[in-house]
């Protein structure tokens, strides 16, 4: 897939965004931060050239020394994860407009997954930091 323009937004519509993605794949992250952030596990994909409308609603939270998470301050929608000092942003797959064209390609941080579910879809699994992270 070559440079697809993607659009999305939060639940209340206060934050809208667009950007480019080179691949139509998403990764599921099972780390404890993503599970707390999303309520289960996170699924996201890489986006470049992010353009945001509704900055008044957008808030950023430094969730670790390496990265921050963007969310809508009005409705609470989890929208972005970005490492400090890099252009690419991980966008929550559930925040983009349908049809998404996305397919889940694997699972990361599976060693930290919740104890209440199993990963049984047959996709590749990476236990920890050995994979180039998306979230």
């Amino acid at each position: 897939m070559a440079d697809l323009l993607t659009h999305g937004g939060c639940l209340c519509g206060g934050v809208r965004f667009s950007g480019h993605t080179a691949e139509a794949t998403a990764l599921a992250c099972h780390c404890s931060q993503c599970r707390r952030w999303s309520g289960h596990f996170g699924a996201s994909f890489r986006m470049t050239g992010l353009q945001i409308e509704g900055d008044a609603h957008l808030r950023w939270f430094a969730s670790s020394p390496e990265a921050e998470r963007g969310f809508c301050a009005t409705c609470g929608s989890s929208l972005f994860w970005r490492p400090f000092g890099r252009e690419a942003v991980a966008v929550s797959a559930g925040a983009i407009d349908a049809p998404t064209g996305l397919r889940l390609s694997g699972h990361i941080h599976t060693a930290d997954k919740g104890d209440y579910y199993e990963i049984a879809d047959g996709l590749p699994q990476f236990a920890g930091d050995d994979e180039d992270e998306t979230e």
Side-chain angles (χ1 to χ4, degrees):
M1 168 182 254
D3 199 29
L4 176 67
L5 180 61
T6 303
H7 300 273
C10 66
L11 183 61
C12 73
V15 178
R16 292 288 303 161
F17 60 87
S18 63
H20 298 273
T21 183
E23 296 181 23
T25 59
L27 283 174
C29 183
H30 299 268
C31 77
S32 61
Q33 285 190 7
C34 283
R35 288 187 292 109
R36 287 183 187 272
W37 180 249
S38 69
H40 187 36
F41 58 83
S44 66
F45 65 100
R46 289 181 195 251
M47 182 179 276
T48 58
L50 180 65
Q51 299 293 312
I52 299 171
E53 298 173 22
D55 282 345
H57 296 268
L58 183 63
R59 298 292 182 274
W60 291 94
F61 170 69
S63 56
S64 74
E66 292 83 32
E68 61 187 346
R69 295 168 186 268
F71 63 98
C72 176
T74 302
C75 66
S77 292
S78 305
L79 301 170
F80 311 113
W81 179 94
R82 68 179 178 194
F84 296 120
R86 288 179 36 196
E87 179 188 343
V89 174
V91 175
S92 295
I96 63 169
D97 298 340
T100 69
L102 292 174
R103 295 291 174 260
L104 198 61
S105 64
H107 301 268
I108 59 175
H109 297 288
T110 57
D112 200 24
K113 79 168 196 61
D115 62 358
Y116 60 92
Y117 65 93
E118 296 301 322
I119 303 169
D121 58 13
L123 294 173
Q125 296 183 28
F126 302 93
D129 293 328
D130 56 343
E131 178 66 8
D132 185 22
E133 297 178 32
T134 295
E135 298 184 58

